[in-house]
Amino acid sequence: MAENLVSILPADYTSGRFIGRAMAPEGPVVIAIHEGMLYDLTSSVASVSGALARKAWTGGEKLGRVTDGLPEGWSLLSPIDLQCIKASGVTFAVSAIERVIEERARGDAQKAKDIRAQLEEKVGAGIRAVVPGSAEAEQLKQALLEEGMWSQYLEVAIGPDAEIFSKSPVLSSVGHGEPIGIRSDSSWNNPEPEVVLVCDAHGEILGATLGNDVNLRDFEGRSALLLSKAKDNTASCAIGPFIRLFDDGFTLDDVRKADVELEIEGPDGYRLEGRNEMAQISRDPADLVAQCLSEHHYPDGFVLFCGTLFAPTDDREEAGAGFTHKIGDVVTIRSERIGSLVNTVMTSRDAPAWTTGIGEWVRNLNARGLVDRL
């Protein structure tokens, strides 16, 4: 059955321009949407990275109307390919407090409730009021140091330098409809619904999509040095459904005021709703991109997860244990101007193996005579 693209695109998709990827019987293809029509760009540009670098997202082979869905035998992939996958953390006051809770609880969900109340009372108001890196933020830092309340997470929350880390290897992200993975040995974890900015090699922000930066609270809470193990696992990074490109009708200002809604539906009938309000972000998205670019070079461009306000604290089953995923949870992340990203939770151990790396992909393109169109 063909994917219902209309159900995962924003309501105004006919007035926007989108680019993404799909798996066709012959291999990955670059697809675009414009004025309600679906196009295959692969014959002229074989990578999304190249299309964005050359702003070559027009033309191509017309596949039909979006309402008709993808061609038979095609399925959506993550809409990025050669871009580096970066993420920024602790960019909202609530998430900063939750990271400190993880640190102080040493990854033990049972201890989180009491610590949360104490930190919210002493830190909450102050951290919401200051601009990161400002003189007021430095004064708050000194006051918290004197009270013994300082943390490495508060450093990146209100200090001059944002937390920027590498989320996943090139080509490893999964797209809409694919399983999303959590480690089989994690007992405290949650989704992270985020806006993902899409940038070229020069740091120009060309568009936005949605992402799930899966978080293992027990691993990262035991030690910040476990960040990579907590963040980078098979199928642990979902991006999609498409990249909405900036134009006169959709700009970075729309990202700045976007609401990102989250819905979790469990196989046990459990249901959770949440919201990530970009207006509450502590650092402007453009500043996060500048800090990501910093002294790096990303010749094929990069994408940047902007962080999340959402941190589920309600108990799912056991009192005091908070929220954690169950296998089979369906996670829906949606934003009015960007679309919907839906994935079902399974363990990274059991998720489909990631086998199409850069070498395999290039060999496929070579066999199709497309390598010179990257």
Side-chain angles (χ1 to χ4, degrees), residues 80-200:
I80 64 169
D81 36 51
L82 288 172
Q83 295 93 338
C84 289
I85 305 173
K86 309 291 288 188
S88 49
V90 201
T91 53
F92 291 82
V94 170
S95 64
I97 292 171
E98 288 300 315
R99 296 295 86 76
V100 178
I101 289 167
E102 291 167 12
E103 179 185 46
R104 292 182 176 242
R106 295 290 186 265
D108 184 346
Q110 291 285 353
K111 297 178 181 179
K113 186 175 182 180
D114 291 340
I115 297 171
R116 182 174 294 109
Q118 178 189 20
L119 283 171
E120 182 60 40
E121 178 183 356
K122 293 190 175 184
V123 179
I127 200 173
R128 288 178 175 85
V130 300
V131 175
S134 66
E136 291 78 11
E138 180 60 26
Q139 290 173 4
L140 175 61
K141 174 179 179 177
Q142 294 307 315
L144 292 172
L145 282 169
E146 291 173 6
E147 292 185 31
M149 298 293 293
W150 191 244
S151 160
Q152 59 193 334
Y153 292 106
L154 296 178
E155 177 64 45
V156 294
I158 66 175
D161 299 308
E163 179 191 19
I164 305 290
F165 59 93
S166 294
K167 167 64 179 177
S168 296
V170 169
L171 284 175
S172 69
S173 59
V174 298
H176 166 80
E178 298 184 86
I180 187 110
I182 55 172
R183 286 186 61 92
S184 60
D185 49 357
S186 171
S187 60
W188 188 21
N189 48 71
N190 61 256
E192 292 198 340
E194 305 187 23
V195 171
V196 182
L197 299 175
V198 182
C199 308
D200 66 11

Side-chain angles (χ1 to χ4, degrees), residues 16-20 29-46 51 54-64 74 245:
R17 188 179 290 279
F18 303 81
I19 191 168
V29 295
V30 179
I31 55 178
I33 293 172
H34 180 52
E35 295 183 342
M37 301 300 296
L38 185 66
Y39 298 85
D40 179 359
L41 307 181
T42 317
S43 61
S44 58
V45 58
R54 302 192 288 277
K55 294 182 170 55
W57 45 65
T58 59
E61 176 190 354
K62 186 181 291 188
L63 298 174
W74 289 31
L245 298 166

